[in-house]
Amino acid sequence: MPSEPHSDCDLPPGNHDHRTLGLVMAAGFSRRFGGEDKRTAPLATGGTLLARTLARLLPAFTPASGECLLAVVIRPGDCPSALGIPVQCPILRAPNAGHGLGASIADAMRGIREMPLIDTVDSIAILLGDMPAIRAQTLSDLIHFSRVDTIVRPYYRGQPGHPVIFGRKFWPQLRTVTGEQGARQVVNAHASGVLAVAVDDPGILLDVDNKAALDCLPVCEGASANLQ
């Protein structure tokens, strides 16, 4: 796995017809958030944490056809409307969420087999439900680099962040990940397939682990991504 963005000029950007489905991981238990459900934590600027994150993400996953390519992964007993999830977003349930992020990803990857649109999708973007500062343009730029045989990983000033986009070639491995490492084990196992993309967006790094972080959310507008 590369430690920083690298040059790979022989690998062209992805096809403009390439379709990417976003999976927003929102099935966690907020154990570091003082016992409250951080998904519904109110923000000083209005709205809740998960709802604001989804509002940031939706433009990048809503093609001209109007079809929503942003699915939200939640626990079996969760109510989507109570979490502020837009009605157009497909819902996936993660019955094994208590076993960590990896288990939720595996549940979601098995669940997408039942989605009518999945045969038209070439890659999956793994996103976190507590990243309200990420810019939609950053997501669109990253999707542009995605391919069926590539893992796209964004970097901001040398630090890796989210989303990580997995081409269809890597989906079988995502169905078997476990633990709190999430999909990192798949990235580590396929270093030669990782395309590092430098982005001018600190929002790819900023996730909210505690209440204090809510007061430090920056207001971010505009972003660009470029291969280095």
Side-chain angles (χ1 to χ4, degrees):
M1 180 178 63
S3 58
E4 60 183 29
H6 63 283
S7 178
D8 196 350
C9 297
D10 293 331
L11 186 60
N15 191 314
H16 287 289
D17 294 329
H18 189 104
R19 282 164 61 88
T20 298
L21 173 68
L23 289 184
V24 182
M25 309 311 300
F29 286 86
S30 313
R31 293 187 176 95
R32 290 180 288 177
F33 205 72
E36 298 180 22
D37 191 335
K38 73 175 177 180
R39 299 173 297 181
T40 56
L43 303 182
T45 52
T48 61
L49 181 56
L50 178 57
R52 173 68 64 85
T53 299
L54 295 176
R56 286 278 190 174
L57 303 179
L58 266 171
F61 293 95
T62 306
S65 63
E67 184 178 26
C68 183
L69 293 176
L70 187 70
V72 186
V73 184
I74 56 179
R75 301 191 292 268
D78 287 332
C79 174
S81 60
L83 293 174
I85 299 174
V87 294
Q88 68 265 38
C89 291
I91 298 297
L92 293 167
R93 303 285 178 171
N96 296 301
H99 297 293
L101 177 59
S104 293
I105 291 173
D107 283 340
M109 291 303 299
R110 290 188 289 267
I112 64 172
R113 293 169 169 170
E114 306 302 321
M115 297 179 68
L117 59 77
I118 200 59
D119 289 340
T120 70
V121 171
D122 304 289
S123 60
I124 293 287
I126 304 295
L127 303 124
L128 304 181
D130 59 350
M131 300 184 70
I134 197 166
R135 302 168 186 167
Q137 186 59 51
T138 299
L139 299 167
S140 296
D141 291 340
L142 291 170
I143 290 170
H144 178 74
F145 287 103
S146 63
R147 303 196 319 174
V148 294
D149 59 352
T150 300
I151 298 172
V152 177
R153 193 175 196 190
Y155 284 74
Y156 176 73
R157 296 184 179 178
Q159 297 186 62
H162 284 85
V164 181
I165 306 178
F166 295 86
R168 184 177 281 269
K169 172 183 176 180
F170 306 98
W171 293 6
Q173 292 95 318
L174 290 175
R175 296 188 187 109
T176 64
V177 294
T178 58
E180 294 294 347
Q181 293 291 309
R184 190 176 303 173
Q185 53 201 277
V186 179
V187 176
N188 291 343
H190 298 280
S192 63
V194 176
L195 177 64
V197 178
V199 301
D200 184 22
D201 184 356
I204 71 163
L205 305 178
L206 196 155
D207 58 353
V208 178
D209 286 331
N210 53 59
K211 293 180 181 179
L214 289 175
D215 300 324
C216 302
L217 294 178
V219 177
C220 303
E221 298 297 340
S224 63
N226 53 79
L227 183 63
Q228 290 190 343

